[in-house]
Amino acid sequence: MAGGLSAWVSAMARGAALSPRCTRRELALLAFLPRIRWYSQHQDAQVPMSRFDVDVPLPYERMEHTLAVVRKRLGRPLTVTEKILYAHLDSPATQEIERGKSSLLLRPDRLALQDATAQMALLQFMSSGLERTAIPTTLHCDHLIEAAVGAQKD
């Protein structure tokens, strides 16, 4: 992949011909080309948080700004995990960032709850009387088992 992955994706998004010696990685990316082409033509478009929250766009500009501040402060490249965490810092310019020592104050874009704690949080939210959560929230329950006969037989 001469020129790197981003150069290849850009060329493919512009409609370049596929090489006969295409790698598996390149073939996997082909599935995303329609989306890449659309975003390359609509760079200022607002991307919704989810199909259920179409009025809540993903805050890409804020994340990019936050990461630029953090990169400047740390003076080194960031790992993927650091990018995810640091992109959601509450105050990137002043917050202490020392690996293994700092407690980070984060502002998540979305909240994903899971299993029993999710159900408890949902019940507490329902009793609060609020109509909406402060940020988009999803509930993931993969242990919803209904007893039919009894604990021993089920």
Side-chain angles (χ1 to χ4, degrees):
M1 202 180 306
L5 180 62
S6 61
W8 182 86
V9 169
S10 296
M12 294 304 290
R14 289 189 309 273
L18 186 61
S19 166
R21 293 184 298 175
C22 196
T23 66
R24 282 187 179 170
R25 187 176 180 187
E26 291 170 337
L27 287 173
L29 285 170
L30 287 177
F32 295 101
L33 277 180
R35 204 175 286 175
I36 292 169
R37 283 190 184 116
W38 187 89
Y39 287 124
S40 67
Q41 295 166 1
H42 302 88
Q43 292 177 355
D44 58 341
Q46 294 290 313
V47 179
M49 181 73 68
S50 75
R51 66 185 175 125
F52 302 110
D53 299 296
V54 293
D55 59 331
V56 181
L58 285 167
Y60 286 127
E61 289 179 18
R62 180 183 55 80
M63 288 183 194
E64 288 176 12
H65 171 73
T66 301
L67 287 176
V69 170
V70 172
R71 275 189 199 101
K72 187 174 181 181
R73 284 185 59 196
L74 295 178
R76 62 175 174 78
L78 302 175
T79 66
V80 172
T81 303
E82 288 174 326
K83 289 176 185 176
I84 293 169
L85 287 173
Y86 294 158
H88 295 89
L89 284 176
D90 182 41
S91 180
T94 59
Q95 190 168 332
E96 182 182 344
I97 306 172
E98 189 173 349
R99 188 181 293 180
K101 295 185 180 180
S102 301
S103 292
L104 301 178
L105 299 174
L106 303 173
R107 290 202 177 267
D109 305 312
R110 125 170 259 105
L111 184 61
L113 305 171
Q114 191 225 1
D115 285 338
T117 53
Q119 295 169 35
M120 292 305 298
L122 180 63
L123 290 172
Q124 289 176 348
F125 176 75
M126 290 168 58
S127 67
S128 73
L130 298 172
E131 290 189 24
R132 287 188 61 102
T133 57
I135 59 174
T137 305
T138 55
L139 207 74
H140 304 273
C141 298
D142 55 358
H143 298 288
L144 293 176
I145 301 170
E146 185 176 324
V149 179
Q152 293 302 319
K153 289 189 178 185
D154 289 341

